[in-house]
């Protein structure tokens, strides 16, 4: 099929992936109201078209946390993303490096820190959850430091996992033992290209960074059981002291939706935050990222770097997020779909689409640099 948009990449991913993996990427929690709002609210933001502005020279580069970026986008952390293509996180980091943007490895990615570091040609970011086992966390942070990771993304909106109905329907959750395994095997068997490339050639599957604490278990149900048992619901702001004691580089707090929480993050010395509702995968019914972003920028935008994710389906959406006040945008589902659709080449295609759509959007709103994008570019705002 012809790939012209992120929507096309999603369709290609759906055709290639077993149902349980596609629905895991694609779905949200409960009735998926927030998932839908993320997309709809962002798409509804009107931009202000300007003319006769000399947009012959457009520069889309920027800087985040001392790192020069060719585009104001970052590949967000996604759990198990590496199962969407053979050794997927390694393919993703290569594509991101070539495009001049950061890749963020999830704590619960399919490939471990050392493997991704071996594939990378520039520093990548690392994402951390608060885990009950602090020794395990310290070891992960030490590995990230040793690998030269430049920025730590600390995700705080998942003290307990959200309930995602699609995962129950596919057998990824709620179907223990052989019953769930057989359902997933049946779904994989009708996707032979994925089964050969990922299921057979992509091994050994050790579930990345989590493998050392699974005691030799390699099943997806073992992975999810570990997540349920080890994510720490007692997490609080005082835990930032523990993180700071182990990590000296830039620290970004991901999962902020409320201005008061943004103030807390700034007061406690975070370098940045990500305005995010976990892609609509946690508490359903909360604000979309697009609606939550402007009030947060108003209270902390001069004290730390504000990034955003959620609902981005085009380069035009990236420009919208920047106009709302974000300094950079994290791409989540978009790169997971692209990886599933075409591996490293798929992500390169995604980033070329984003770049082309941003270039057009900037030209037609009359701006030539990223730092010129702001609320004056929104229709009705001056």
């Amino acid at each position: 099929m012809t790939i012209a948009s992120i929507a096309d990449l999603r369709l290609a991913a759906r055709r290639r992936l077993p149902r349980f993996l596609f629905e895991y990427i694609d779905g949200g929690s409960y009735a998926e109201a927030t998932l839908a709002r993320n997309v709809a609210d962002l798409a509804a933001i009107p931009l202000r078209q300007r003319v006769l502005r000399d947009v012959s020279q457009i520069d889309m580069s920027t800087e985040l946390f001392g790192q020069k970026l060719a585009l104001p986008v970052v590949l967000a952390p996604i759990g198990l993303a590496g199962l969407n293509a053979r050794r997927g996180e390694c393919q993703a980091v290569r594509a991101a490096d070539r495009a001049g943007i950061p890749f963020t490895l999830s704590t619960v990615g399919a490939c471990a820190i050392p493997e991704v570091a071996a594939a990378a040609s520039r520093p990548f970011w690392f994402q951390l959850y608060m885990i009950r086992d602090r020794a395990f966390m310290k070891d992960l942070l030490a590995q990230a430091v040793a690998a030269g990771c430049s920025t730590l993304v600390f995700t705080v909106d998942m003290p307990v996992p959200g309930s995602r109905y699609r995962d129950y329907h596919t057998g990824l959750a709620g179907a223990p033992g052989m019953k769930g395994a057989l359902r997933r095997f049946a779904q994989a068997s009708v996707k032979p290209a994925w089964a050969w490339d990922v299921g057979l050639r992509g091994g050994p599957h050790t579930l990345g960074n989590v493998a050392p604490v699974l005691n030799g278990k390699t099943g997806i149900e073992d992975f999810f059981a570990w997540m349920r048992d080890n994510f720490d619901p007692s997490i609080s702001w005082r835990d930032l002291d523990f993180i700071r004691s182990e990590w000296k580089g830039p620290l970004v707090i991901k999962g902020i939706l409320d201005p008061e929480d943004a103030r807390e993050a700034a007061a406690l010395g975070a370098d940045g935050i990500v305005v995010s509702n976990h892609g609509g995968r946690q508490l359903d019914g909360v604000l979309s990222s697009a609606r939550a972003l402007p009030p947060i920028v108003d209270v902390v935008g001069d004290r730390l770097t504000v990034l955003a994710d959620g609902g981005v389906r085009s380069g035009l959406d990236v420009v919208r997020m920047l106009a709302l006040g974000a300094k950079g945008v994290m791409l989540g589902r978009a790169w997971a779909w692209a990886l599933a659709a075409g591996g490293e080449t798929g992500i390169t295609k995604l980033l070329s689409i984003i770049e082309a759509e941003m270039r057009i959007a900037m030209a037609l709103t009359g701006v030539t640099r990223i730092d010129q994008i702001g609320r004056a570019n929104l229709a009705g705002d001056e």
Side-chain angles (χ1 to χ4, degrees), residues 130 132 158-160 228-236 239:
M130 182 57 72
R132 294 179 191 270
M158 201 169 174
V160 295
R228 288 192 302 271
D229 293 341
N230 285 280
F231 279 26
D232 192 350
S234 72
I235 182 175
S236 69
D239 289 302

Side-chain angles (χ1 to χ4, degrees), residues 44-349:
I45 293 169
L47 291 169
R48 183 184 180 194
Q49 182 168 308
R50 303 299 304 275
V51 299
L52 303 177
R53 308 288 287 186
D54 186 2
V55 291
S56 58
Q57 300 295 322
I58 291 179
D59 180 5
M60 286 180 280
S61 66
T62 191
E63 185 175 299
L64 293 177
F65 311 112
Q67 188 173 356
K68 187 78 170 179
L69 280 62
L71 295 170
V73 299
V74 178
L75 298 191
I78 297 180
L80 296 180
L83 295 183
N84 296 322
R86 178 160 41 98
R87 315 313 297 171
E89 284 99 356
C90 294
Q91 295 196 56
V93 76
R94 287 193 294 265
D97 287 354
R98 191 165 52 251
I101 66 167
F103 166 80
T104 313
L105 177 64
S106 171
T107 293
V108 292
C111 299
I113 293 171
E115 182 180 359
V116 175
S121 58
R122 54 184 273 164
F124 59 97
W125 295 9
F126 181 65
Q127 176 269 339
L128 185 71
Y129 287 111
M130 182 57 72
I131 306 299
R132 294 179 191 270
D133 185 346
R134 299 298 196 264
F136 173 65
M137 289 180 64
K138 289 181 68 172
D139 180 66
L140 282 182
L141 287 171
Q143 289 186 52
V145 171
C149 293
S150 60
T151 299
L152 180 68
V153 178
F154 183 43
T155 299
V156 297
D157 61 356
M158 201 169 174
V160 295
S163 184
R164 300 161 194 166
Y165 296 155
R166 294 202 210 184
D167 293 345
Y168 287 89
H169 296 157
T170 64
L172 193 60
M178 287 301 295
K179 182 178 180 182
L182 287 172
R183 289 176 66 183
R184 295 190 298 274
F185 178 81
Q187 293 166 34
S189 68
V190 297
K191 303 292 182 177
W194 177 90
W196 168 246
D197 186 50
V198 181
L200 296 176
R201 296 177 66 205
H205 296 295
T206 59
L207 297 176
N209 299 308
V210 179
V213 292
L214 289 180
N215 300 316
K217 298 176 181 178
T218 60
I220 286 183
E221 52 278 302
D222 300 313
F223 168 81
F224 282 109
W226 179 87
M227 287 180 62
R228 288 192 302 271
D229 293 341
N230 285 280
F231 279 26
D232 192 350
S234 72
I235 182 175
S236 69
W237 288 109
R238 66 178 177 270
D239 289 302
L240 286 188
D241 291 337
F242 169 80
I243 302 299
R244 275 299 192 193
S245 70
E246 304 296 327
W247 179 266
K248 306 307 179 185
L251 173 63
V252 179
I253 309 299
K254 183 176 184 291
I256 301 294
L257 280 181
D258 189 279
E260 290 305 311
D261 287 335
R263 285 193 179 98
E264 288 271 16
L268 291 171
D271 299 288
I273 59 173
V274 184
V275 176
S276 172
N277 51 44
H278 217 99
R281 294 166 68 81
Q282 282 296 98
L283 179 59
D284 198 26
V286 298
L287 286 177
S288 67
S289 296
R291 289 190 60 190
L293 178 57
I296 289 174
V297 171
D298 288 343
V299 299
V300 299
D302 59 343
R303 299 169 63 188
L304 43 68
T305 299
V306 180
L307 310 180
D309 72 9
V312 176
R313 302 293 185 265
S314 67
L316 190 61
D317 286 342
V318 173
V319 172
R320 288 182 171 116
M321 284 291 202
L322 297 176
L324 291 172
K327 297 300 183 184
V329 176
M330 280 191 149
L331 303 176
R333 285 179 176 88
W335 81 259
W337 291 329
L339 178 67
E344 186 176 337
T345 301
I347 295 177
T348 297
K349 178 66 174 179

